[in-house]
């Protein structure tokens, strides 16, 4: 080979490499049916608009850009900036055509008998998104039907954009121009609900575009976020969805042309992909820290293109601020789990108390503590802050701050028959009470806990919450008193001890509402909730959700009576009262437990709870017996097993023990991991043969627990549903604690650390603690609480956490609070965490 041919060959090789690199950046349809290049994934209806609460901002055409899901909602939509309750398209068919490198979907709006086809085709470094109409869309959708794609504000605000070369910056906060239009022109919202109060104007707000043009370049300065969108046949508009709703996204939109068929719109969307980009390792560890004696294993999440290192180190901080390496250990491979590769770093050998951090190659974590005290306070923020702030019908103060005034002073009205509801409830064909539709039901505005990020009282959930409190009290007798609660003053003051254990006051507060329901309505309501959608999505002081004045039909809307005692506002909350004997039965068991717990503290409420327990038990048993067998057969979950156990504990009647045992064993056979905790709670109340019969199930459970080590790198039950799985992982931890208590030779206590590890930072996506504050070095900073519009948190909240999106993406936004499936906390979930934390602290004592 001559020198010349060698150099020619060399040049050719270089050229080929460059060509391949360029090709390497081209988006390709992969086996999981999305368009992929390293650093950019375009998903086309992998996730549909079927989440349960309409537009959850987790569906449509989506872009995962250098590891972050930065765009979603790509679809034909009927407004400039769709809100949660705007209509979403059904997607009856989705077709992947490999030869054409294309995915096609039919989008259907049933309400308008309107079909369109969206075809996404790989085109070089981007995709073409085209909309086809086989017949023109209905005339009433002219100016409404358009193709939208939504970008995540927190990933773009402060960055620049260019529209046809004109310079702009994405606004940090929504400031812009809107117009109002006649309600006659408004596209109807879900089931005809309306998300805003038009103050009697008959007009709705419509945002104007921030910019309009043909070539839209997002974030040219940021290679991780740069996206170019061009269209030859349509104007591209940019809107700010936050104009109408704080959870809105930046919306890129083109209107569909009226009267046309065929290919009516096309965009080229090119997400920039950084050449050779490799996602930074996510080094998972407990942000709360570790006990000296406990297992300590960091799970490190790696890009599949990353090369795992051979070892990692632990550094200890000295009092002089200087750090020294104190341990070096091997990196052990675990394997692939969905999108990433996982390795583990075991530093259990390090047992000296101190301040440490992990060094993995060039990556250093924040510090954490090894000490015997790290878990001492894990429930305090939840019990001292989160729970009292969620006490309904009270004024809640903390130092200089008022969390909320006294809500719903006007009380609750009877929900009219045949009423649907937007929060998954409804009133059946009758009221099942002595009240007429819309009549005031006096006395219900007392006690109870806000459900979650919203302010309704979910009766089923509140029953579970009071059970959780009673269980915590009866098992652990926490004497903690950091909260002043006065039912007489309807006043709560945080950090002001009043001589009564807070947990008794929480039991009392929950029971007050539930006893009122039973006494006044005659049975349990389904929910006490909003009657109008525009105040359901309330953000701010709970006392301002309604005007506090009862509705007076003699007054016009927005009118207040001269006495100041009533108003014409139809904003009063409603009680949904369709009778459910299954719920009554659960209430009966809860009331029996309440009556035990409150004896000697509030004897009056204790006796009233017992009276309602007996009455509801009799009535519910009769009602259930008169129901057809098949509808009873369907009720067969852990709740029914647990209800019969609680009934037996409360009444001592053998029939409930028999029913408990009859339901328990088949339930364990069907769903062991879910039902076994209930079975464990039965041990103190059953004879010795019961524990013996349970033994093989506990052995089976041990296999299940060990099998989780092979299921995923974290060894916990990871949920893949539409609501992320912290709740199941908390229950897993609680189950371990109780299983170890009764079967210490079979279930090892150390499994419980898998739950704390996961909750406090050792999980996919990022390594922040999923529990707000609680002594973690790096807790999550934003949650979907009722203060979410402030990008904040309520201390002690447990986020659902790591949400799975099809087909292979786990995420938890910590700069965007508004996705309930990953960032909301519920009163049910947070009181379950109280039990776990109490049981866990007991376990490690
Ligand atoms: Ca709710
Ligand atoms: Ca107290
Ligand atoms: Ca009112």
């Amino acid at each position: 080979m001559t020198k010349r041919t060698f150099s020619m060959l060399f040049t050719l090789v270089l050229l080929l490499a460059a060509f391949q690199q360029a090709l390497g950046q081209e988006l390709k349809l992969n086996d999981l049916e999305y368009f992929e290049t390293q650093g950019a994934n375009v998903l086309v209806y992998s996730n549909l608009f079927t989440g349960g609460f309409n537009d959850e901002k987790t569906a449509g055409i989506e872009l995962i850009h250098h590891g972050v899901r930065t765009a979603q909602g790509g679809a034909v939509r009927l407004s400039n900036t769709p809100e949660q309750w705007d209509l979403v398209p059904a997607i009856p068919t989705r077709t992947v055509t490999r030869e054409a490198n294309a995915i096609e979907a039919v989008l259907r709006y049933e309400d308008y008998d309107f079909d369109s086809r969206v075809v996404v085709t790989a085109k070089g470094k981007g995709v073409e998104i085209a909309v086809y109409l086989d017949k023109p869309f209905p005339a009433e959708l002219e100016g409404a039907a358009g193709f939208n794609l939504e970008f995540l504000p927190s990933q773009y605000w402060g960055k620049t954009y260019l529209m046809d070369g004109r310079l702009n910056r994405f606004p940090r906060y929504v400031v812009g121009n809107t117009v109002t239009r006649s309600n006659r022109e408004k596209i109807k919202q879900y089931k005809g609900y309306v998300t805003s109060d038009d103050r009697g104007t008959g007009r709705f707000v419509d945002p104007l575009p921030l910019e309009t043009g043909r070539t839209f370049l997002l974030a040219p300065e940021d290679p991780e976020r740069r996206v170019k969108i061009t269209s030859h046949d349509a104007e591209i508009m940019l809107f700010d969805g936050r104009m109408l709703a704080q959870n809105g996204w930046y919306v890129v939109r083109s209107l569909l042309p009226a009267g046309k068929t065929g290919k009516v719109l096309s965009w080229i969307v090119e997400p920039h992909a950084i050449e050779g980009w490799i996602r930074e390792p996510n080094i998972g560890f407990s942000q709360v820290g570790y006990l000296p004696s406990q297992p300590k294993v960091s799970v490190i999440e790696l890009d599949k293109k990353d090369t795992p290192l051979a070892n990692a180190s632990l550094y200890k901080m000295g009092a002089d601020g200087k750090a020294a390496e104190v341990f070096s250990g091997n990196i052990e491979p675990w394997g692939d789990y969905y999108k990433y590769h996982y390795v583990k770093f075991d530093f259990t050998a390090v047992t000296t108390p101190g301040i440490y951090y992990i060094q993995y190659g060039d990556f250093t974590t924040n510090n954490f503590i090894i000490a015997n005290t790290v878990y001492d306070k894990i429930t305090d923020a939840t019990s001292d802050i989160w729970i009292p702030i969620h006490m309904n019908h009270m004024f809640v103060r903390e130092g200089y701050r008022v969390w909320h005034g006294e809500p719903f002073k006007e009380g609750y009205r009877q929900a009219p028959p045949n009423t649907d509801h937007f929060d998954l409830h409804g009133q059946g064909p009758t009221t099942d009470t002595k009240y007429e539709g819309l009549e005031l039901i006096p006395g219900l505005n007392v006690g109870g806990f806000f459900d979650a990020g919203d302010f309704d009282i979910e009766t089923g959930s509140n029953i579970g919450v009071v059970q959780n409190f009673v269980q915590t009290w009866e098992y652990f007798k926490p004497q903690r008193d950091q909260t002043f609660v006065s039912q007489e003053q309807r006043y709560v003051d945080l950090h002001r001890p009043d001589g009564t254990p807070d947990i008794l006051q929480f039991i009392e507060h929950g029971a007050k509402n539930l006893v009122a329901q039973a006494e006044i309505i005659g049975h349990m309501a389904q929910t006490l909730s909003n009657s109008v959608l525009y105040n359901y999505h309330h953000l701010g002081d709970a006392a301002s959700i309604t005007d506090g004045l009862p509705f007076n039909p003699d007054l016009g809307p927005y009118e207040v009576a001269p006495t100041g005692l009533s108003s014409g506002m139809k904003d009063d909350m409603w009680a949904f009262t369709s009778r459910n004997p299954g719920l009554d039965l659960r209430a009966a068991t809860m009331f029996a437990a309440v009556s035990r717990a409150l004896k000697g503290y509030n004897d009056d409420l204790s006796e009233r709870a017992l009276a309602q327990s007996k009455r509801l038990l009799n009535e519910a048993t009769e009602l259930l017996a008169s129901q057809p067998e098949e509808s009873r057969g369907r009720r067969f979950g852990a709740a029914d097993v647990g209800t019969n156990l609680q009934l037996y504990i409360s009444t001592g009647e053998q029939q409930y023990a028999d029913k408990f045992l009859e339901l328990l064993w088949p339930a364990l056979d069907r769903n062991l991991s879910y039902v076994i905790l209930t079975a464990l709670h039965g041990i103190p109340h059953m004879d010795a043969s019961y524990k013996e019969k349970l033994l093989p199930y506990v052995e089976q459970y041990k296999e299940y627990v060990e099998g989780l080590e092979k299921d995923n790198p974290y060894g916990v039950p990871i949920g893949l549903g539409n609501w992320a799985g912290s709740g199941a992982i908390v229950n897993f931890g609680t189950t371990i604690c109780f299983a170890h208590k009764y079967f210490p030779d079979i279930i090892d206590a150390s499994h419980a650390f898998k739950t704390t590890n996961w909750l406090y930072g050792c999980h996919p996506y990022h390594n922040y603690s999923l529990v707000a504050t609680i002594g973690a070095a790096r807790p999550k900073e934003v949650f979907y609480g009722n203060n979410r519009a402030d990008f904040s948190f309520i201390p002690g909240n447990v986020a659902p956490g790591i949400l799975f999106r099809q087909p292979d993406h786990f995420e938890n936004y910590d700069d965007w609070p508004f996705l309930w499936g990953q960032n909301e906390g519920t009163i049910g979930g947070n009181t379950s965490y109280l039990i776990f934390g109490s049981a866990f602290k007991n376990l490690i004592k």
Side-chain angles (χ1 to χ4, degrees):
M1 196 188 294
T2 65
K3 203 175 170 188
R4 193 180 134 83
T5 47
F6 176 81
S7 118
M8 270 176 66
L9 259 178
F10 186 70
T11 311
L12 197 65
V13 167
L14 278 182
L15 273 172
L16 262 175
F19 181 66
Q20 266 170 349
Q21 205 141 44
L23 269 188
Q25 288 197 41
E26 296 205 338
L27 285 165
K28 288 209 181 64
L29 197 48
N30 67 13
D31 291 343
L32 294 171
E33 300 189 343
Y34 63 79
F35 298 98
E36 181 184 21
T37 187
Q38 180 70 4
N41 307 153
V42 177
L43 279 58
V44 181
Y45 307 113
S46 296
N47 297 291
L48 305 181
F49 298 95
T50 49
F53 297 97
N54 281 32
D55 186 353
E56 302 195 305
K57 307 296 180 194
T58 55
I61 296 174
E62 303 173 84
L63 169 62
I64 297 172
H65 209 182
H66 298 103
V68 181
R69 197 168 57 91
T70 54
Q72 55 75 40
V76 172
R77 300 300 302 270
L78 307 182
S79 61
N80 291 336
T81 60
E83 297 173 65
Q84 183 187 339
W85 292 276
D86 282 323
L87 297 180
V88 288
I91 298 178
T93 63
R94 173 180 179 274
T95 316
V96 178
T97 321
R98 295 217 166 263
E99 313 79 70
N101 244 322
I103 301 176
E104 170 171 344
V106 172
L107 275 58
R108 175 163 179 77
Y109 284 97
E110 195 67 49
D111 296 70
Y112 291 96
D113 188 23
F114 166 38
D115 290 336
S116 58
R117 286 185 291 124
V118 173
V119 181
V120 182
T121 313
K123 285 269 160 80
K125 293 179 182 179
V127 293
E128 183 200 50
I129 300 176
V131 180
Y132 292 82
L133 297 178
D134 296 329
K135 59 179 186 183
F137 58 72
E140 56 198 313
L141 294 180
E142 189 173 342
F147 184 84
N148 292 15
L149 181 62
E150 306 192 352
F151 286 83
L152 183 59
S154 56
Q155 289 293 324
Y156 279 97
W157 59 42
K159 291 179 181 151
T160 66
Y161 66 88
L162 282 83
M163 185 69 89
D164 292 345
R166 290 185 298 275
L167 284 162
N168 274 292
R169 199 176 288 282
F170 284 104
R172 174 64 183 82
Y173 195 88
V174 62
V175 179
N177 301 325
T178 61
V179 292
T180 64
R181 293 164 57 192
S182 166
N183 285 345
R184 284 190 302 275
E185 297 171 36
K186 176 140 174 98
I187 299 297
K188 73 170 176 187
Q189 295 183 281
Y190 175 68
K191 289 186 179 173
Y193 295 122
V194 181
T195 45
S196 71
D197 170 13
D198 72 7
R199 304 308 291 176
T201 62
R203 301 182 71 78
F204 72 99
V205 175
D206 202 14
L208 294 175
L210 301 176
E211 257 290 13
T212 301
R214 292 293 177 108
T215 300
F216 180 43
L217 182 62
L218 296 86
E221 75 277 27
D222 181 353
E224 291 201 355
R225 293 290 165 267
R226 188 187 312 151
V227 178
K228 189 173 161 190
I229 303 176
T230 48
S231 179
H232 296 297
D233 48 23
E235 294 284 320
I236 296 171
M237 298 177 282
L238 171 67
F239 292 93
D240 193 334
R242 297 172 298 170
M243 201 65 89
L244 298 183
Q246 273 74 4
N247 63 350
W249 293 38
Y250 297 126
V251 182
V252 185
R253 167 168 165 92
S254 290
L255 287 175
L256 301 185
K260 293 259 170 63
T261 57
K263 185 176 182 177
V264 296
L265 180 90
S266 86
W267 285 1
I268 300 290
V269 178
E270 294 168 281
H272 177 69
I274 297 171
E275 223 177 280
W277 177 81
I278 287 180
R279 182 175 178 263
E280 282 191 6
N282 168 32
I283 305 167
F285 65 97
S286 168
Q287 297 278 355
V288 166
Y290 301 88
L291 300 176
S293 61
Q294 80 166 92
K296 305 172 197 74
V297 181
S298 164
V299 179
I300 304 175
E301 180 180 67
L302 295 173
D303 199 312
K304 278 179 185 164
K305 288 211 156 46
D306 204 347
T307 311
L309 302 176
N311 49 55
S313 308
L314 211 67
Y315 279 73
K316 186 169 187 285
M317 298 285 296
D320 58 358
K322 292 203 178 89
E325 188 185 89
V326 293
F327 177 79
S328 174
N330 291 339
I331 293 294
E332 301 291 342
W334 184 86
D336 292 348
Y337 183 64
Y338 291 99
K339 193 181 278 177
Y340 299 118
H341 182 72
Y342 293 83
V343 297
K344 294 189 180 188
F345 168 52
D346 189 332
F347 55 97
T348 306
V350 180
T351 56
T352 312
I355 307 164
Y356 295 88
Y357 63 81
I358 297 168
Q359 178 93 37
Y360 174 77
D362 297 335
F363 300 96
T364 304
T365 67
N366 60 268
N367 74 65
F368 57 88
I369 291 171
I370 295 179
N372 275 315
T373 51
V374 293
Y375 298 117
D376 287 3
K377 294 172 182 160
I378 56 171
T379 56
D380 292 354
T382 307
S383 67
D384 299 359
I385 318 283
W386 198 92
I387 290 168
I389 285 170
H390 286 72
M391 291 170 91
N392 200 343
H393 306 118
M394 303 290 261
F395 182 103
V396 180
R397 181 185 288 284
E398 179 184 20
Y400 290 10
R401 175 182 196 164
V402 172
W403 279 92
H404 57 80
E406 182 191 331
F408 315 129
K409 284 185 178 171
E410 67 267 70
Y412 296 81
R413 282 172 193 276
Q414 171 68 54
N418 299 311
T419 305
D420 259 348
H421 193 242
F422 31 79
D423 196 18
L424 311 180
H425 288 285
Q427 181 68 42
T430 55
T431 65
D432 296 350
T433 66
K434 63 183 180 191
Y435 300 97
E436 301 282 320
L438 299 182
E439 192 180 343
L440 182 72
I441 306 178
L444 292 179
N445 55 333
V446 58
F449 291 90
F450 299 142
D451 180 32
D454 50 5
F455 303 89
D456 51 312
I457 291 186
E458 291 272 357
T459 300
S461 173
N462 268 258
I463 288 171
V465 163
V466 173
Q467 293 269 32
N468 286 346
F469 286 138
V470 173
Q471 204 177 65
T472 307
W473 175 247
E474 293 190 332
Y475 274 118
F476 311 107
K477 284 281 181 313
Q479 301 296 317
R480 192 168 177 81
D481 170 24
Q482 283 298 308
T483 311
F484 171 92
V485 180
S486 168
Q487 292 292 341
E488 200 187 358
Q489 297 173 19
R490 293 190 171 230
Y491 198 96
V492 175
D493 198 7
L494 310 188
H495 316 297
R496 177 187 290 280
D498 62 1
T500 304
D502 297 338
I503 195 138
L504 284 179
Q505 290 167 316
F506 299 155
I507 295 170
E508 177 184 43
H509 192 72
K512 263 184 174 296
N513 185 268
L514 297 168
V515 167
Q517 287 190 23
E519 288 179 345
I520 296 165
I521 296 172
H523 55 86
M524 305 315 291
Q526 288 183 29
T527 181
L528 308 180
S529 189
N530 307 64
S531 61
V532 281
L533 181 54
Y534 77 76
N535 71 15
Y536 169 71
H537 50 58
H538 182 81
L539 296 171
D541 186 342
S544 59
I545 295 173
T546 63
D547 64 3
L549 303 173
F551 172 65
N552 179 345
D554 298 335
L555 298 169
Y558 311 103
E559 209 181 323
V560 176
T563 58
L565 297 177
S566 63
S567 81
M569 273 308 272
K570 285 186 177 171
D571 65 359
D572 298 4
M573 304 280 279
W574 286 352
F576 290 80
T577 56
S578 292
R579 186 163 197 175
N580 174 354
L583 192 64
D584 289 350
L585 201 58
R586 283 186 56 210
T589 71
M590 174 273 305
F591 283 141
V594 161
S595 117
R596 293 195 302 269
L598 291 185
K599 205 171 282 172
Y601 165 61
N602 183 339
D603 287 330
D604 172 60
L605 193 57
S606 164
E607 280 158 29
R608 286 162 58 203
L610 190 61
Q612 292 308 319
S613 174
K614 288 177 177 161
R615 184 178 65 80
L616 286 180
L617 177 58
N618 288 336
E619 292 183 16
T621 307
E622 252 173 59
L623 282 168
L624 283 171
S626 68
Q627 277 183 358
E629 188 68 41
E630 60 270 26
S631 72
R632 265 181 290 155
R634 267 186 274 114
R635 300 179 47 257
F636 214 54
D640 299 305
V641 185
T643 298
N644 280 285
L645 173 63
Q646 289 299 324
L647 284 169
Y648 175 62
I649 296 170
S650 302
T651 64
E653 286 181 28
Q654 189 57 36
Q655 52 159 328
Y656 298 118
D658 295 345
K659 190 73 187 169
F660 166 64
L661 295 172
E662 179 195 324
L663 294 176
L664 177 68
W665 306 112
L668 278 172
D669 288 331
R670 273 196 314 274
N671 197 346
L672 175 74
S673 61
Y674 183 58
V675 180
I676 193 154
L677 182 57
T678 305
L680 293 165
H681 287 318
I683 289 174
H685 309 283
M686 300 282 142
D687 60 21
S689 70
Y690 173 82
K691 198 175 165 188
E692 239 165 75
K693 195 169 174 191
L694 200 54
L695 185 70
Y697 289 100
V698 177
E699 280 164 346
Q700 213 180 312
Y701 185 68
K702 175 190 159 88
E703 280 171 39
Y704 161 80
V705 171
E706 286 168 355
L708 289 171
E709 291 287 334
K710 295 184 192 78
D711 177 78
N712 67 74
Y714 301 93
V716 295
I718 294 180
L720 303 179
N722 207 48
W723 187 278
S726 286
I729 294 170
V730 164
N731 286 339
F732 169 77
T734 306
T735 306
I736 296 290
C737 293
F738 280 95
H740 174 75
K741 175 184 161 119
Y742 296 120
F743 298 93
D745 299 338
I746 302 173
I747 302 294
D748 197 283
S750 67
H751 296 303
F753 293 115
K754 293 175 192 170
T755 288
T756 52
N757 286 344
W758 174 280
L759 289 178
Y760 303 145
C762 193
H763 49 236
Y765 197 72
H766 56 51
N767 65 3
Y768 313 148
S769 169
L770 301 173
V771 189
T773 72
I774 65 127
R778 187 9 176 134
K780 265 178 66 60
E781 285 172 350
V782 304
F783 287 75
Y784 187 97
N786 59 43
N787 58 353
R788 58 191 176 274
D790 304 318
F791 288 74
S792 189
F793 54 85
I794 300 177
N797 193 24
V798 184
I802 310 302
L803 183 70
F804 180 70
R805 304 311 302 151
Q806 292 290 350
D808 65 349
H809 184 68
F810 283 98
E811 76 179 14
N812 179 276
Y813 290 133
D814 198 41
D815 57 3
W816 190 250
F818 297 105
L819 272 67
W820 47 86
Q822 42 184 278
N823 283 333
E824 191 168 11
T826 65
I827 184 73
N830 287 342
T831 51
S832 294
Y833 173 75
L834 191 62
I835 293 186
F836 166 70
S838 308
F840 176 80
K841 284 190 286 183
N842 209 44
L843 177 86
I844 60 175
K845 242 199 289 202

